[in-house]
Amino acid sequence: EPEVTQTPSHQVTQMGQEVILRCVPISNHLYFYWYRQILGQKVEFLVSFYNNEISEKSEIFDDQFSVERPDGSNFTLKIRSTKLEDSAMYFCASSGRRIQETQYFGPGTRLLVL
Amino acid sequence: DQQVKQNSPSLSVQEGRISILNCDYTNSMFDYFLWYKKYPAEGPTFLISISSIKDKNEDGRFTVFLNKSAKHLSLHIVPSQPGDSAVYFCAGYDKVIFGPGTSLSVIP
């Protein structure tokens, strides 16, 4: 069964450093998403991406964040200058050909900013 | 701004009994609702969904009920199994807005 994969599974970084989180969505999916879950809190939407551009973003997704689909398979989330409060589990998701199709989530990347 | 609420942070149920997980929402624009299950250190896994034009959707042991007038939905799991022990998230679809989750423990 196809699945969404994410790398790395864990990332530790110093405050102020840039991080890139990588995702490989399910191959025939057209919609891509990033979510995050701060420890003990709920899963929060960050951004959705379709047709090589951001279709929607939350207020969390400020200028420090960017997304990219550099090739036909990867979908990346970049945090330019990490802050302590960026420490969270980051989930990538993808869905098929219609915006309302079920989103399938990756296993997540645990980011720890020191 | 809690558009999706799950007021029970945890629930314990005996194996074989029914688990009922509740969810309330405030956003009338949601036209689709989803339940996800999440195990520790894993991403959410889609469980079942319901369109706002329906009031019930069933898939095996899982049934979701939607009461639009009350802005309430519930997930019924029957019979509950120990493997069902996980955190369950209700989500409304405008963009996907998750509730805070209910941790279900099924006791053998």
Side-chain angles (χ1 to χ4, degrees):
Chain A
E1 186 175 318
E3 58 183 18
V4 177
T5 59
Q6 289 185 243
T7 54
S9 58
H10 294 79
Q11 173 107 35
V12 181
T13 190
Q14 294 285 333
M15 189 170 62
Q17 295 295 304
E18 174 184 287
V19 295
I20 298 176
L21 310 182
R22 291 184 167 78
C23 169
V24 179
I26 293 172
S27 62
N28 61 350
H29 282 184
L30 300 180
Y31 295 87
F32 313 109
Y33 313 84
W34 282 100
Y35 294 84
R36 78 171 185 194
Q37 185 179 29
I38 294 171
L39 188 64
Q41 298 185 25
K42 64 181 181 180
V43 177
E44 299 172 294
F45 169 79
L46 292 178
V47 65
S48 59
F49 191 85
Y50 170 73
N51 200 26
N52 285 319
E53 58 184 28
I54 290 173
S55 49
E56 200 153 9
K57 60 183 181 179
S58 71
E59 56 209 25
I60 302 168
F61 193 89
D62 61 22
D63 292 343
Q64 292 299 312
F65 292 89
S66 63
V67 289
E68 197 175 35
R69 189 156 158 81
D71 53 43
S73 60
N74 290 286
F75 179 51
T76 62
L77 174 69
K78 183 193 289 186
I79 309 174
R80 254 179 280 282
S81 176
T82 50
K83 304 188 281 282
L84 296 177
E85 53 265 36
D86 293 328
S87 296
M89 194 79 165
Y90 287 80
F91 295 105
C92 171
S94 69
S95 63
R97 298 190 163 271
R98 292 180 297 116
I99 187 69
Q100 288 186 338
E101 285 192 13
T102 300
Q103 295 179 24
Y104 292 88
F105 284 76
T109 293
R110 182 169 295 284
L111 175 66
L112 179 60
V113 181
L114 302 176
Chain B
D1 175 21
Q2 281 206 55
Q3 297 186 51
V4 182
K5 302 176 188 179
Q6 292 175 259
N7 292 322
S8 297
S10 63
L11 176 70
S12 288
V13 172
Q14 287 284 341
E15 181 179 3
R17 298 287 185 101
I18 185 171
S19 296
I20 300 176
L21 297 97
N22 292 303
C23 177
D24 297 291
Y25 63 94
T26 57
N27 188 341
S28 302
M29 299 301 292
F30 289 145
D31 54 5
Y32 203 65
F33 300 90
L34 309 101
W35 283 93
Y36 283 86
K37 178 165 96 168
K38 186 179 179 302
Y39 294 114
E42 292 184 17
T45 303
F46 169 74
L47 201 56
I48 192 169
S49 63
I50 187 166
S51 164
S52 61
I53 63 172
K54 296 188 173 182
D55 54 20
K56 178 182 173 181
N57 189 27
E58 195 169 350
D59 183 3
R61 296 186 297 114
F62 302 92
T63 304
V64 56
F65 296 92
L66 175 62
N67 182 336
K68 280 191 73 176
S69 60
K71 292 195 173 76
H72 177 84
L73 62 156
S74 60
L75 174 68
H76 292 212
I77 307 172
V78 55
S80 301
Q81 298 172 355
D84 296 329
S85 298
V87 178
Y88 288 78
F89 293 95
C90 164
Y93 205 109
D94 177 7
K95 49 188 178 290
V96 177
I97 307 292
F98 282 91
T102 295
S103 178
L104 173 66
S105 297
V106 179
I107 304 160

